[in-house]
Amino acid sequence: MLLANEQTELAWRVFDELQEKAIPSGEVAGTMLTHLGKTDKVERAFLLHKRLISAGMSSNAPCFEALIYAASKRKEYFPSAIDMFRQMVLLKMPISIRVYNHLLQACSKVADLNTAMSLWRSVLDSTDPAIKPSVYTCTSYLWALSAVETPDTKISKRDFVY
């Protein structure tokens, strides 16, 4: 609520006080990590997560989703995003369509067509009703496809600028 009302400083004070008294829930921690991703504070998000884990918080889907989102903001964090996704699969965490969306967006930043196609296929083949492609999923996949276009492999008819 505080973040939604742009009361960022107060939200962080409340979160810091909470951390002093107890380990925050995955949802609360995930919200704060998502905020760091939205404000492009990727390093801070990973440091906060590391601190929470060392304080005793167990790995959870909301935090992994938030970290994948933060990592998707910058191409140098692409390997971290993929690693976190693999951990989610390995730990059998629930994976939302938003995780696929973030990863597809990250694929477009590094022009990784193979991973994008694999993620897209996973979405299409999923029997989980929560993994239904959204407009954002389709758009992110198209961005990933267009990101690999070079002057040598140009298939579109118009100039494309990313």
Side-chain angles (χ1 to χ4, degrees), residues 115-153:
T115 302
M117 290 175 72
S118 176
L119 291 166
W120 179 251
R121 181 57 44 209
S122 294
V123 168
L124 295 180
D125 292 345
S126 178
T127 57
D128 183 349
I131 306 295
K132 215 166 93 174
S134 66
V135 171
Y136 190 76
T137 313
C138 298
T139 305
S140 297
Y141 183 58
L142 290 172
W143 276 109
L145 291 175
S146 64
V148 298
E149 186 175 270
T150 67
D152 297 335
T153 61

PDB file of all heavy atoms in Angstrom, residues 115-153:
ATOM      1  N   THR A 115      16.660 -19.899 -26.197  1.00  0.00           N
ATOM      2  CA  THR A 115      15.982 -19.895 -24.892  1.00  0.00           C
ATOM      3  C   THR A 115      14.571 -19.348 -25.030  1.00  0.00           C
ATOM      4  O   THR A 115      13.629 -19.897 -24.441  1.00  0.00           O
ATOM      5  CB  THR A 115      16.795 -19.079 -23.870  1.00  0.00           C
ATOM      6  OG1 THR A 115      18.101 -19.648 -23.764  1.00  0.00           O
ATOM      7  CG2 THR A 115      16.129 -19.096 -22.502  1.00  0.00           C
ATOM      8  N   ALA A 116      14.402 -18.298 -25.820  1.00  0.00           N
ATOM      9  CA  ALA A 116      13.069 -17.724 -26.026  1.00  0.00           C
ATOM     10  C   ALA A 116      12.123 -18.756 -26.636  1.00  0.00           C
ATOM     11  O   ALA A 116      10.977 -18.888 -26.191  1.00  0.00           O
ATOM     12  CB  ALA A 116      13.153 -16.488 -26.920  1.00  0.00           C
ATOM     13  N   MET A 117      12.610 -19.491 -27.628  1.00  0.00           N
ATOM     14  CA  MET A 117      11.758 -20.502 -28.265  1.00  0.00           C
ATOM     15  C   MET A 117      11.423 -21.633 -27.297  1.00  0.00           C
ATOM     16  O   MET A 117      10.294 -22.128 -27.281  1.00  0.00           O
ATOM     17  CB  MET A 117      12.441 -21.039 -29.529  1.00  0.00           C
ATOM     18  CG  MET A 117      12.487 -19.993 -30.632  1.00  0.00           C
ATOM     19  SD  MET A 117      13.396 -20.512 -32.086  1.00  0.00           S
ATOM     20  CE  MET A 117      12.269 -21.710 -32.768  1.00  0.00           C
ATOM     21  N   SER A 118      12.379 -22.013 -26.464  1.00  0.00           N
ATOM     22  CA  SER A 118      12.138 -23.057 -25.465  1.00  0.00           C
ATOM     23  C   SER A 118      11.105 -22.594 -24.437  1.00  0.00           C
ATOM     24  O   SER A 118      10.195 -23.350 -24.064  1.00  0.00           O
ATOM     25  CB  SER A 118      13.458 -23.415 -24.786  1.00  0.00           C
ATOM     26  OG  SER A 118      13.256 -24.346 -23.766  1.00  0.00           O
ATOM     27  N   LEU A 119      11.232 -21.361 -23.973  1.00  0.00           N
ATOM     28  CA  LEU A 119      10.259 -20.821 -23.014  1.00  0.00           C
ATOM     29  C   LEU A 119       8.872 -20.727 -23.647  1.00  0.00           C
ATOM     30  O   LEU A 119       7.866 -21.086 -23.021  1.00  0.00           O
ATOM     31  CB  LEU A 119      10.708 -19.439 -22.525  1.00  0.00           C
ATOM     32  CG  LEU A 119      11.937 -19.411 -21.628  1.00  0.00           C
ATOM     33  CD1 LEU A 119      12.477 -17.992 -21.509  1.00  0.00           C
ATOM     34  CD2 LEU A 119      11.616 -19.981 -20.256  1.00  0.00           C
ATOM     35  N   TRP A 120       8.815 -20.243 -24.868  1.00  0.00           N
ATOM     36  CA  TRP A 120       7.548 -20.121 -25.587  1.00  0.00           C
ATOM     37  C   TRP A 120       6.881 -21.490 -25.724  1.00  0.00           C
ATOM     38  O   TRP A 120       5.687 -21.637 -25.487  1.00  0.00           O
ATOM     39  CB  TRP A 120       7.788 -19.471 -26.943  1.00  0.00           C
ATOM     40  CG  TRP A 120       6.569 -19.312 -27.784  1.00  0.00           C
ATOM     41  CD1 TRP A 120       6.255 -19.994 -28.915  1.00  0.00           C
ATOM     42  CD2 TRP A 120       5.478 -18.408 -27.567  1.00  0.00           C
ATOM     43  NE1 TRP A 120       5.049 -19.567 -29.421  1.00  0.00           N
ATOM     44  CE2 TRP A 120       4.547 -18.593 -28.609  1.00  0.00           C
ATOM     45  CE3 TRP A 120       5.202 -17.453 -26.588  1.00  0.00           C
ATOM     46  CZ2 TRP A 120       3.365 -17.875 -28.708  1.00  0.00           C
ATOM     47  CZ3 TRP A 120       4.018 -16.734 -26.684  1.00  0.00           C
ATOM     48  CH2 TRP A 120       3.113 -16.939 -27.727  1.00  0.00           C
ATOM     49  N   ARG A 121       7.674 -22.485 -26.100  1.00  0.00           N
ATOM     50  CA  ARG A 121       7.145 -23.847 -26.248  1.00  0.00           C
ATOM     51  C   ARG A 121       6.625 -24.359 -24.907  1.00  0.00           C
ATOM     52  O   ARG A 121       5.573 -24.993 -24.837  1.00  0.00           O
ATOM     53  CB  ARG A 121       8.240 -24.757 -26.820  1.00  0.00           C
ATOM     54  CG  ARG A 121       7.857 -26.188 -27.047  1.00  0.00           C
ATOM     55  CD  ARG A 121       6.696 -26.509 -27.937  1.00  0.00           C
ATOM     56  NE  ARG A 121       6.607 -25.785 -29.173  1.00  0.00           N
ATOM     57  CZ  ARG A 121       5.444 -25.523 -29.791  1.00  0.00           C
ATOM     58  NH1 ARG A 121       4.300 -25.915 -29.302  1.00  0.00           N
ATOM     59  NH2 ARG A 121       5.421 -24.878 -30.919  1.00  0.00           N
ATOM     60  N   SER A 122       7.339 -24.064 -23.826  1.00  0.00           N
ATOM     61  CA  SER A 122       6.894 -24.482 -22.484  1.00  0.00           C
ATOM     62  C   SER A 122       5.553 -23.860 -22.135  1.00  0.00           C
ATOM     63  O   SER A 122       4.685 -24.523 -21.550  1.00  0.00           O
ATOM     64  CB  SER A 122       7.923 -24.088 -21.424  1.00  0.00           C
ATOM     65  OG  SER A 122       9.110 -24.781 -21.602  1.00  0.00           O
ATOM     66  N   VAL A 123       5.381 -22.605 -22.488  1.00  0.00           N
ATOM     67  CA  VAL A 123       4.107 -21.925 -22.223  1.00  0.00           C
ATOM     68  C   VAL A 123       2.989 -22.582 -23.031  1.00  0.00           C
ATOM     69  O   VAL A 123       1.920 -22.884 -22.502  1.00  0.00           O
ATOM     70  CB  VAL A 123       4.205 -20.417 -22.540  1.00  0.00           C
ATOM     71  CG1 VAL A 123       2.833 -19.759 -22.556  1.00  0.00           C
ATOM     72  CG2 VAL A 123       5.114 -19.720 -21.538  1.00  0.00           C
ATOM     73  N   LEU A 124       3.243 -22.806 -24.297  1.00  0.00           N
ATOM     74  CA  LEU A 124       2.209 -23.394 -25.158  1.00  0.00           C
ATOM     75  C   LEU A 124       1.865 -24.828 -24.769  1.00  0.00           C
ATOM     76  O   LEU A 124       0.712 -25.252 -24.894  1.00  0.00           O
ATOM     77  CB  LEU A 124       2.650 -23.346 -26.628  1.00  0.00           C
ATOM     78  CG  LEU A 124       2.801 -21.956 -27.243  1.00  0.00           C
ATOM     79  CD1 LEU A 124       3.231 -22.082 -28.700  1.00  0.00           C
ATOM     80  CD2 LEU A 124       1.531 -21.143 -27.118  1.00  0.00           C
ATOM     81  N   ASP A 125       2.856 -25.585 -24.301  1.00  0.00           N
ATOM     82  CA  ASP A 125       2.648 -26.992 -23.943  1.00  0.00           C
ATOM     83  C   ASP A 125       2.128 -27.187 -22.525  1.00  0.00           C
ATOM     84  O   ASP A 125       1.742 -28.295 -22.160  1.00  0.00           O
ATOM     85  CB  ASP A 125       3.950 -27.786 -24.107  1.00  0.00           C
ATOM     86  CG  ASP A 125       4.378 -27.911 -25.554  1.00  0.00           C
ATOM     87  OD1 ASP A 125       3.544 -27.646 -26.453  1.00  0.00           O
ATOM     88  OD2 ASP A 125       5.551 -28.258 -25.794  1.00  0.00           O
ATOM     89  N   SER A 126       2.127 -26.133 -21.732  1.00  0.00           N
ATOM     90  CA  SER A 126       1.735 -26.263 -20.328  1.00  0.00           C
ATOM     91  C   SER A 126       0.258 -26.622 -20.192  1.00  0.00           C
ATOM     92  O   SER A 126      -0.606 -26.089 -20.886  1.00  0.00           O
ATOM     93  CB  SER A 126       2.003 -24.955 -19.583  1.00  0.00           C
ATOM     94  OG  SER A 126       1.583 -25.069 -18.240  1.00  0.00           O
ATOM     95  N   THR A 127      -0.003 -27.518 -19.258  1.00  0.00           N
ATOM     96  CA  THR A 127      -1.387 -27.881 -18.932  1.00  0.00           C
ATOM     97  C   THR A 127      -1.877 -27.096 -17.708  1.00  0.00           C
ATOM     98  O   THR A 127      -3.035 -27.208 -17.339  1.00  0.00           O
ATOM     99  CB  THR A 127      -1.492 -29.392 -18.658  1.00  0.00           C
ATOM    100  OG1 THR A 127      -0.588 -29.743 -17.604  1.00  0.00           O
ATOM    101  CG2 THR A 127      -1.166 -30.202 -19.912  1.00  0.00           C
ATOM    102  N   ASP A 128      -0.997 -26.332 -17.114  1.00  0.00           N
ATOM    103  CA  ASP A 128      -1.347 -25.508 -15.962  1.00  0.00           C
ATOM    104  C   ASP A 128      -2.206 -24.333 -16.434  1.00  0.00           C
ATOM    105  O   ASP A 128      -1.767 -23.543 -17.268  1.00  0.00           O
ATOM    106  CB  ASP A 128      -0.068 -25.008 -15.296  1.00  0.00           C
ATOM    107  CG  ASP A 128      -0.314 -24.204 -14.033  1.00  0.00           C
ATOM    108  OD1 ASP A 128      -1.481 -23.843 -13.751  1.00  0.00           O
ATOM    109  OD2 ASP A 128       0.669 -23.923 -13.325  1.00  0.00           O
ATOM    110  N   PRO A 129      -3.436 -24.203 -15.914  1.00  0.00           N
ATOM    111  CA  PRO A 129      -4.290 -23.086 -16.354  1.00  0.00           C
ATOM    112  C   PRO A 129      -3.710 -21.705 -16.031  1.00  0.00           C
ATOM    113  O   PRO A 129      -4.073 -20.714 -16.663  1.00  0.00           O
ATOM    114  CB  PRO A 129      -5.608 -23.318 -15.614  1.00  0.00           C
ATOM    115  CG  PRO A 129      -5.361 -24.370 -14.607  1.00  0.00           C
ATOM    116  CD  PRO A 129      -4.076 -25.054 -14.932  1.00  0.00           C
ATOM    117  N   ALA A 130      -2.794 -21.628 -15.067  1.00  0.00           N
ATOM    118  CA  ALA A 130      -2.176 -20.347 -14.725  1.00  0.00           C
ATOM    119  C   ALA A 130      -1.123 -19.943 -15.761  1.00  0.00           C
ATOM    120  O   ALA A 130      -0.718 -18.789 -15.819  1.00  0.00           O
ATOM    121  CB  ALA A 130      -1.529 -20.421 -13.345  1.00  0.00           C
ATOM    122  N   ILE A 131      -0.691 -20.884 -16.559  1.00  0.00           N
ATOM    123  CA  ILE A 131       0.326 -20.602 -17.591  1.00  0.00           C
ATOM    124  C   ILE A 131      -0.378 -20.495 -18.932  1.00  0.00           C
ATOM    125  O   ILE A 131      -0.302 -21.362 -19.792  1.00  0.00           O
ATOM    126  CB  ILE A 131       1.412 -21.711 -17.629  1.00  0.00           C
ATOM    127  CG1 ILE A 131       2.022 -21.941 -16.270  1.00  0.00           C
ATOM    128  CG2 ILE A 131       2.489 -21.375 -18.654  1.00  0.00           C
ATOM    129  CD1 ILE A 131       2.796 -20.765 -15.721  1.00  0.00           C
ATOM    130  N   LYS A 132      -1.101 -19.419 -19.080  1.00  0.00           N
ATOM    131  CA  LYS A 132      -1.803 -19.124 -20.319  1.00  0.00           C
ATOM    132  C   LYS A 132      -1.166 -17.887 -20.929  1.00  0.00           C
ATOM    133  O   LYS A 132      -1.002 -16.880 -20.245  1.00  0.00           O
ATOM    134  CB  LYS A 132      -3.273 -18.867 -19.995  1.00  0.00           C
ATOM    135  CG  LYS A 132      -4.244 -19.341 -21.032  1.00  0.00           C
ATOM    136  CD  LYS A 132      -5.637 -19.351 -20.475  1.00  0.00           C
ATOM    137  CE  LYS A 132      -6.307 -18.040 -20.799  1.00  0.00           C
ATOM    138  NZ  LYS A 132      -7.700 -17.995 -20.434  1.00  0.00           N
ATOM    139  N   PRO A 133      -0.759 -17.944 -22.204  1.00  0.00           N
ATOM    140  CA  PRO A 133      -0.108 -16.760 -22.784  1.00  0.00           C
ATOM    141  C   PRO A 133      -1.001 -15.530 -22.719  1.00  0.00           C
ATOM    142  O   PRO A 133      -2.186 -15.601 -23.011  1.00  0.00           O
ATOM    143  CB  PRO A 133       0.155 -17.154 -24.234  1.00  0.00           C
ATOM    144  CG  PRO A 133      -0.132 -18.601 -24.354  1.00  0.00           C
ATOM    145  CD  PRO A 133      -0.925 -19.013 -23.168  1.00  0.00           C
ATOM    146  N   SER A 134      -0.404 -14.441 -22.319  1.00  0.00           N
ATOM    147  CA  SER A 134      -1.103 -13.150 -22.274  1.00  0.00           C
ATOM    148  C   SER A 134      -0.600 -12.292 -23.433  1.00  0.00           C
ATOM    149  O   SER A 134       0.310 -12.685 -24.163  1.00  0.00           O
ATOM    150  CB  SER A 134      -0.822 -12.454 -20.945  1.00  0.00           C
ATOM    151  OG  SER A 134       0.544 -12.100 -20.864  1.00  0.00           O
ATOM    152  N   VAL A 135      -1.164 -11.133 -23.568  1.00  0.00           N
ATOM    153  CA  VAL A 135      -0.686 -10.191 -24.579  1.00  0.00           C
ATOM    154  C   VAL A 135       0.785  -9.878 -24.323  1.00  0.00           C
ATOM    155  O   VAL A 135       1.588  -9.793 -25.252  1.00  0.00           O
ATOM    156  CB  VAL A 135      -1.538  -8.906 -24.551  1.00  0.00           C
ATOM    157  CG1 VAL A 135      -0.944  -7.824 -25.419  1.00  0.00           C
ATOM    158  CG2 VAL A 135      -2.967  -9.205 -24.966  1.00  0.00           C
ATOM    159  N   TYR A 136       1.141  -9.743 -23.052  1.00  0.00           N
ATOM    160  CA  TYR A 136       2.520  -9.441 -22.694  1.00  0.00           C
ATOM    161  C   TYR A 136       3.443 -10.598 -23.099  1.00  0.00           C
ATOM    162  O   TYR A 136       4.558 -10.370 -23.573  1.00  0.00           O
ATOM    163  CB  TYR A 136       2.616  -9.159 -21.197  1.00  0.00           C
ATOM    164  CG  TYR A 136       3.959  -8.615 -20.771  1.00  0.00           C
ATOM    165  CD1 TYR A 136       4.307  -7.291 -21.013  1.00  0.00           C
ATOM    166  CD2 TYR A 136       4.893  -9.429 -20.146  1.00  0.00           C
ATOM    167  CE1 TYR A 136       5.543  -6.787 -20.643  1.00  0.00           C
ATOM    168  CE2 TYR A 136       6.129  -8.935 -19.770  1.00  0.00           C
ATOM    169  CZ  TYR A 136       6.447  -7.621 -20.020  1.00  0.00           C
ATOM    170  OH  TYR A 136       7.674  -7.134 -19.661  1.00  0.00           O
ATOM    171  N   THR A 137       2.987 -11.839 -22.920  1.00  0.00           N
ATOM    172  CA  THR A 137       3.785 -13.008 -23.301  1.00  0.00           C
ATOM    173  C   THR A 137       4.056 -12.989 -24.798  1.00  0.00           C
ATOM    174  O   THR A 137       5.202 -13.168 -25.236  1.00  0.00           O
ATOM    175  CB  THR A 137       3.050 -14.318 -22.927  1.00  0.00           C
ATOM    176  OG1 THR A 137       2.546 -14.231 -21.600  1.00  0.00           O
ATOM    177  CG2 THR A 137       3.963 -15.522 -23.055  1.00  0.00           C
ATOM    178  N   CYS A 138       3.019 -12.772 -25.568  1.00  0.00           N
ATOM    179  CA  CYS A 138       3.163 -12.742 -27.031  1.00  0.00           C
ATOM    180  C   CYS A 138       4.062 -11.601 -27.473  1.00  0.00           C
ATOM    181  O   CYS A 138       4.947 -11.788 -28.319  1.00  0.00           O
ATOM    182  CB  CYS A 138       1.790 -12.623 -27.692  1.00  0.00           C
ATOM    183  SG  CYS A 138       0.709 -14.013 -27.356  1.00  0.00           S
ATOM    184  N   THR A 139       3.875 -10.439 -26.890  1.00  0.00           N
ATOM    185  CA  THR A 139       4.694  -9.282 -27.239  1.00  0.00           C
ATOM    186  C   THR A 139       6.160  -9.519 -26.888  1.00  0.00           C
ATOM    187  O   THR A 139       7.051  -9.216 -27.685  1.00  0.00           O
ATOM    188  CB  THR A 139       4.178  -8.024 -26.522  1.00  0.00           C
ATOM    189  OG1 THR A 139       2.802  -7.850 -26.825  1.00  0.00           O
ATOM    190  CG2 THR A 139       4.955  -6.787 -26.919  1.00  0.00           C
ATOM    191  N   SER A 140       6.402 -10.075 -25.726  1.00  0.00           N
ATOM    192  CA  SER A 140       7.780 -10.347 -25.301  1.00  0.00           C
ATOM    193  C   SER A 140       8.442 -11.361 -26.222  1.00  0.00           C
ATOM    194  O   SER A 140       9.625 -11.230 -26.555  1.00  0.00           O
ATOM    195  CB  SER A 140       7.806 -10.849 -23.854  1.00  0.00           C
ATOM    196  OG  SER A 140       7.321  -9.856 -22.992  1.00  0.00           O
ATOM    197  N   TYR A 141       7.686 -12.365 -26.637  1.00  0.00           N
ATOM    198  CA  TYR A 141       8.232 -13.359 -27.565  1.00  0.00           C
ATOM    199  C   TYR A 141       8.560 -12.698 -28.911  1.00  0.00           C
ATOM    200  O   TYR A 141       9.611 -12.954 -29.497  1.00  0.00           O
ATOM    201  CB  TYR A 141       7.250 -14.519 -27.744  1.00  0.00           C
ATOM    202  CG  TYR A 141       7.777 -15.616 -28.627  1.00  0.00           C
ATOM    203  CD1 TYR A 141       8.961 -16.280 -28.326  1.00  0.00           C
ATOM    204  CD2 TYR A 141       7.090 -15.993 -29.774  1.00  0.00           C
ATOM    205  CE1 TYR A 141       9.448 -17.285 -29.144  1.00  0.00           C
ATOM    206  CE2 TYR A 141       7.576 -17.004 -30.589  1.00  0.00           C
ATOM    207  CZ  TYR A 141       8.753 -17.648 -30.272  1.00  0.00           C
ATOM    208  OH  TYR A 141       9.242 -18.636 -31.084  1.00  0.00           O
ATOM    209  N   LEU A 142       7.682 -11.829 -29.382  1.00  0.00           N
ATOM    210  CA  LEU A 142       7.954 -11.121 -30.637  1.00  0.00           C
ATOM    211  C   LEU A 142       9.185 -10.224 -30.518  1.00  0.00           C
ATOM    212  O   LEU A 142       9.984 -10.120 -31.458  1.00  0.00           O
ATOM    213  CB  LEU A 142       6.734 -10.310 -31.071  1.00  0.00           C
ATOM    214  CG  LEU A 142       5.542 -11.137 -31.555  1.00  0.00           C
ATOM    215  CD1 LEU A 142       4.330 -10.245 -31.776  1.00  0.00           C
ATOM    216  CD2 LEU A 142       5.895 -11.914 -32.810  1.00  0.00           C
ATOM    217  N   TRP A 143       9.359  -9.587 -29.363  1.00  0.00           N
ATOM    218  CA  TRP A 143      10.561  -8.777 -29.140  1.00  0.00           C
ATOM    219  C   TRP A 143      11.803  -9.658 -29.222  1.00  0.00           C
ATOM    220  O   TRP A 143      12.825  -9.271 -29.801  1.00  0.00           O
ATOM    221  CB  TRP A 143      10.526  -8.084 -27.781  1.00  0.00           C
ATOM    222  CG  TRP A 143       9.778  -6.792 -27.780  1.00  0.00           C
ATOM    223  CD1 TRP A 143       8.565  -6.561 -27.201  1.00  0.00           C
ATOM    224  CD2 TRP A 143      10.180  -5.559 -28.377  1.00  0.00           C
ATOM    225  NE1 TRP A 143       8.191  -5.251 -27.414  1.00  0.00           N
ATOM    226  CE2 TRP A 143       9.161  -4.613 -28.133  1.00  0.00           C
ATOM    227  CE3 TRP A 143      11.289  -5.164 -29.097  1.00  0.00           C
ATOM    228  CZ2 TRP A 143       9.233  -3.299 -28.570  1.00  0.00           C
ATOM    229  CZ3 TRP A 143      11.360  -3.849 -29.545  1.00  0.00           C
ATOM    230  CH2 TRP A 143      10.334  -2.948 -29.271  1.00  0.00           C
ATOM    231  N   ALA A 144      11.713 -10.851 -28.609  1.00  0.00           N
ATOM    232  CA  ALA A 144      12.862 -11.765 -28.639  1.00  0.00           C
ATOM    233  C   ALA A 144      13.164 -12.201 -30.074  1.00  0.00           C
ATOM    234  O   ALA A 144      14.329 -12.272 -30.476  1.00  0.00           O
ATOM    235  CB  ALA A 144      12.594 -12.974 -27.755  1.00  0.00           C
ATOM    236  N   LEU A 145      12.119 -12.481 -30.847  1.00  0.00           N
ATOM    237  CA  LEU A 145      12.323 -12.869 -32.248  1.00  0.00           C
ATOM    238  C   LEU A 145      12.962 -11.737 -33.041  1.00  0.00           C
ATOM    239  O   LEU A 145      13.887 -11.946 -33.828  1.00  0.00           O
ATOM    240  CB  LEU A 145      10.991 -13.263 -32.893  1.00  0.00           C
ATOM    241  CG  LEU A 145      10.336 -14.548 -32.405  1.00  0.00           C
ATOM    242  CD1 LEU A 145       8.975 -14.720 -33.067  1.00  0.00           C
ATOM    243  CD2 LEU A 145      11.221 -15.749 -32.668  1.00  0.00           C
ATOM    244  N   SER A 146      12.466 -10.534 -32.848  1.00  0.00           N
ATOM    245  CA  SER A 146      12.990  -9.409 -33.627  1.00  0.00           C
ATOM    246  C   SER A 146      14.391  -9.002 -33.189  1.00  0.00           C
ATOM    247  O   SER A 146      15.139  -8.426 -33.975  1.00  0.00           O
ATOM    248  CB  SER A 146      12.039  -8.223 -33.549  1.00  0.00           C
ATOM    249  OG  SER A 146      11.954  -7.750 -32.230  1.00  0.00           O
ATOM    250  N   ALA A 147      14.756  -9.311 -31.949  1.00  0.00           N
ATOM    251  CA  ALA A 147      16.071  -8.913 -31.447  1.00  0.00           C
ATOM    252  C   ALA A 147      17.208  -9.652 -32.145  1.00  0.00           C
ATOM    253  O   ALA A 147      18.332  -9.151 -32.175  1.00  0.00           O
ATOM    254  CB  ALA A 147      16.157  -9.155 -29.948  1.00  0.00           C
ATOM    255  N   VAL A 148      16.918 -10.803 -32.715  1.00  0.00           N
ATOM    256  CA  VAL A 148      17.982 -11.566 -33.367  1.00  0.00           C
ATOM    257  C   VAL A 148      18.145 -11.179 -34.826  1.00  0.00           C
ATOM    258  O   VAL A 148      19.052 -11.652 -35.498  1.00  0.00           O
ATOM    259  CB  VAL A 148      17.763 -13.092 -33.248  1.00  0.00           C
ATOM    260  CG1 VAL A 148      17.778 -13.508 -31.788  1.00  0.00           C
ATOM    261  CG2 VAL A 148      16.486 -13.527 -33.919  1.00  0.00           C
ATOM    262  N   GLU A 149      17.292 -10.289 -35.311  1.00  0.00           N
ATOM    263  CA  GLU A 149      17.403  -9.855 -36.696  1.00  0.00           C
ATOM    264  C   GLU A 149      18.597  -8.921 -36.856  1.00  0.00           C
ATOM    265  O   GLU A 149      18.749  -7.964 -36.123  1.00  0.00           O
ATOM    266  CB  GLU A 149      16.120  -9.151 -37.133  1.00  0.00           C
ATOM    267  CG  GLU A 149      16.105  -8.805 -38.604  1.00  0.00           C
ATOM    268  CD  GLU A 149      14.785  -8.232 -39.030  1.00  0.00           C
ATOM    269  OE1 GLU A 149      13.911  -9.009 -39.429  1.00  0.00           O
ATOM    270  OE2 GLU A 149      14.651  -6.997 -38.958  1.00  0.00           O
ATOM    271  N   THR A 150      19.425  -9.260 -37.794  1.00  0.00           N
ATOM    272  CA  THR A 150      20.593  -8.442 -38.117  1.00  0.00           C
ATOM    273  C   THR A 150      20.511  -8.078 -39.595  1.00  0.00           C
ATOM    274  O   THR A 150      19.683  -8.633 -40.323  1.00  0.00           O
ATOM    275  CB  THR A 150      21.901  -9.220 -37.864  1.00  0.00           C
ATOM    276  OG1 THR A 150      21.977 -10.302 -38.800  1.00  0.00           O
ATOM    277  CG2 THR A 150      21.985  -9.742 -36.441  1.00  0.00           C
ATOM    278  N   PRO A 151      21.360  -7.201 -40.070  1.00  0.00           N
ATOM    279  CA  PRO A 151      21.339  -6.907 -41.508  1.00  0.00           C
ATOM    280  C   PRO A 151      21.529  -8.162 -42.369  1.00  0.00           C
ATOM    281  O   PRO A 151      20.994  -8.252 -43.464  1.00  0.00           O
ATOM    282  CB  PRO A 151      22.505  -5.923 -41.681  1.00  0.00           C
ATOM    283  CG  PRO A 151      22.630  -5.257 -40.356  1.00  0.00           C
ATOM    284  CD  PRO A 151      22.270  -6.321 -39.344  1.00  0.00           C
ATOM    285  N   ASP A 152      22.270  -9.157 -41.845  1.00  0.00           N
ATOM    286  CA  ASP A 152      22.496 -10.398 -42.594  1.00  0.00           C
ATOM    287  C   ASP A 152      21.296 -11.335 -42.562  1.00  0.00           C
ATOM    288  O   ASP A 152      21.112 -12.145 -43.469  1.00  0.00           O
ATOM    289  CB  ASP A 152      23.712 -11.143 -42.044  1.00  0.00           C
ATOM    290  CG  ASP A 152      24.989 -10.346 -42.207  1.00  0.00           C
ATOM    291  OD1 ASP A 152      25.044  -9.495 -43.128  1.00  0.00           O
ATOM    292  OD2 ASP A 152      25.915 -10.564 -41.412  1.00  0.00           O
ATOM    293  N   THR A 153      20.494 -11.269 -41.499  1.00  0.00           N
ATOM    294  CA  THR A 153      19.363 -12.185 -41.362  1.00  0.00           C
ATOM    295  C   THR A 153      18.033 -11.458 -41.449  1.00  0.00           C
ATOM    296  O   THR A 153      17.018 -11.963 -40.973  1.00  0.00           O
ATOM    297  CB  THR A 153      19.431 -12.922 -40.007  1.00  0.00           C
ATOM    298  OG1 THR A 153      19.363 -11.945 -38.957  1.00  0.00           O
ATOM    299  CG2 THR A 153      20.694 -13.750 -39.876  1.00  0.00           C
TER     300      THR A 153
END
